[in-house]
Amino acid sequence: MADVAAEVGVSRALVSLVFRGQPGASPDTRERVFDAAARLGYKPDMAARLLARGRSKVLGVLFTARNPYHIDLVEAIYPAAEELGYDLVLSATVPTRNEHNAIEALIGHRSEALLLCGPTIPDEDVTELGARVPTVVLGRHIKDARVDVVTSYDRPGAREVVDYLVGLGHRDIVHVDAGNRPGGPERRRAYRDAMRAHGLEDRIRVIPGNHSQEGGSEAARMLLEEDGPLPTAMFAANDQCAIGLLDVFTRAGVKIPEQVSIVGYDDSHIAGLSHIDLTTVRQDVPRLAQLAVEAADEQLRGAREPGVYLKLESKLVVRGTSGPPAS
């Protein structure tokens, strides 16, 4: 601003008034100030201006770098945040960086509110975090916490998978679960309940897994090493796990879906690639992102107390990795 003031021949204080839209300068002076600023390439520091007002207008987003579904969420959060005048700061968890460190980095970068994509930290840690800063959790079921939760109905989605596979004629349907990771318990219970509802209680089998490709690969290798036939269908906890199954079975010469049908969950962007063509359960990512940003904004504006629980419907998307059993 001092350079602009020297160029125009006015005081720095007057230039400040012009940039802030305050009275005190004639129309001619305002025009000359803006012309000089354009020639000098000057732009007001919006971050500093917001901080001077006690606001950063920054939302901090926690996500897992290796999770394609989280990447899809981040891409959808950007336009939703921009529409409400927010910028984003991203902080990723990787094998060498845990969630607590990633979250503290977001707070250190003056994030006004936090959007946590599928966090795995204990419920009590989430509650404590919500007491420090407005927090919205995406894709994880947390009850009685002072945070907002935006997620999908996992149980109907998982039930739809089993209903679909049974409708194709499958009876030996195995579930590779995600343990206690986000969505894991709900999808596991829904699988068990659906199998019982179809009179297939004696066919229930859950293989411990996680939300990674490695988890699916290990499950597939374990089944290949067992004596006896392979299951005719497998329901994976998420798309990454399903791709791990698909990779190991394909390399072993197992025909998909003729010998084994595979279904995932999330419908991340990789599921629709032509060489994967994964049958999966689609979550409404753009709507989830929009609701999460709106929830954070409502907390920041003091429009309501935290603790809102928002759930969206999911939908089965049938592709090339599923079909009727060969028999």
Side-chain angles (χ1 to χ4, degrees):
M1 283 195 289
D3 292 338
V4 173
E7 179 79 7
V8 180
V10 298
S11 69
R12 184 184 183 283
L14 188 61
V15 172
S16 178
L17 288 174
V18 171
F19 283 140
R20 288 186 286 119
Q22 300 294 318
S26 67
D28 177 67
T29 300
R30 290 180 182 276
E31 184 176 352
R32 289 192 294 122
V33 166
F34 286 123
D35 288 344
R39 289 196 304 273
L40 295 172
Y42 172 80
K43 294 182 180 179
D45 188 334
M46 296 306 297
R49 179 177 294 181
L50 288 168
L51 287 175
R53 298 176 184 172
R55 295 289 305 274
S56 69
K57 293 290 283 187
V58 168
L59 303 179
V61 182
L62 170 76
F63 68 105
T64 302
R66 294 186 177 183
N67 191 326
Y69 176 63
H70 287 188
I71 302 300
D72 293 347
L73 277 173
V74 169
E75 289 184 357
I77 289 171
Y78 265 106
E82 184 177 349
E83 185 175 344
L84 293 181
Y86 291 96
D87 200 356
L88 300 183
V89 172
L90 307 181
S91 190
T93 61
V94 297
T96 56
R97 188 175 192 243
N98 63 37
E99 288 185 348
H100 287 100
N101 291 339
I103 289 170
E104 290 302 321
L106 291 173
I107 295 174
H109 282 86
R110 299 181 182 272
S111 299
E112 287 192 311
L114 301 179
L115 307 182
L116 310 181
C117 298
T120 61
I121 57 176
D123 287 4
E124 55 268 26
D125 291 356
V126 177
T127 300
E128 180 181 341
L129 183 63
R132 295 172 57 193
V133 59
T135 301
V136 181
V137 173
L138 291 90
R140 173 177 165 184
H141 301 269
I142 299 180
K143 293 183 178 180
D144 303 322
R146 299 290 291 170
V147 300
D148 292 339
V149 174
V150 180
T151 187
S152 297
Y153 286 100
D154 285 305
R155 290 178 64 84
R159 172 63 189 259
E160 188 177 8
V161 171
V162 176
D163 291 347
Y164 163 70
L165 292 172
V166 171
L168 290 175
H170 293 279
R171 297 295 180 268
D172 292 317
I173 305 169
V174 171
H175 178 49
V176 183
D177 79 349
N180 290 322
R181 299 183 71 84
E186 291 78 19
R187 296 168 196 177
R188 181 171 58 249
R189 284 194 294 268
Y191 159 77
R192 292 181 181 276
D193 291 345
M195 291 289 283
R196 293 189 186 100
H198 286 288
L200 300 174
E201 185 171 2
D202 59 331
R203 306 290 184 94
I204 292 174
R205 184 179 181 185
V206 177
I207 298 177
N210 56 46
H211 278 166
S212 69
Q213 186 171 334
E214 291 77 12
S217 298
E218 290 177 7
R221 283 192 287 266
M222 184 187 74
L223 290 171
L224 288 169
E225 292 171 357
E226 292 180 350
D227 293 331
L230 292 170
T232 63
M234 299 195 69
F235 169 36
N238 74 343
D239 290 349
Q240 281 185 288
C241 181
I243 290 170
L245 292 169
L246 182 63
D247 177 64
V248 171
F249 281 144
T250 301
R251 291 176 186 273
V254 177
K255 294 182 179 180
I256 308 296
E258 291 83 0
Q259 291 177 265
V260 179
S261 286
I262 297 176
V263 180
Y265 205 105
D266 286 341
D267 196 25
S268 54
H269 63 274
I270 57 175
L273 297 177
S274 60
H275 64 287
I276 295 178
D277 201 29
L278 179 68
T279 296
T280 183
V281 177
R282 174 178 295 163
Q283 302 194 66
D284 190 346
V285 170
R287 184 61 177 155
L288 286 168
Q290 181 184 12
L291 290 175
V293 172
E294 290 176 352
D297 179 63
E298 289 172 358
Q299 287 193 53
L300 289 169
R301 290 189 289 106
R304 57 168 175 77
E305 292 295 317
V308 169
Y309 213 104
L310 302 171
K311 285 187 176 183
L312 297 180
E313 299 292 337
S314 55
K315 178 183 179 182
L316 180 69
V317 179
V318 177
R319 297 193 180 100
T321 60
S322 62
S327 58

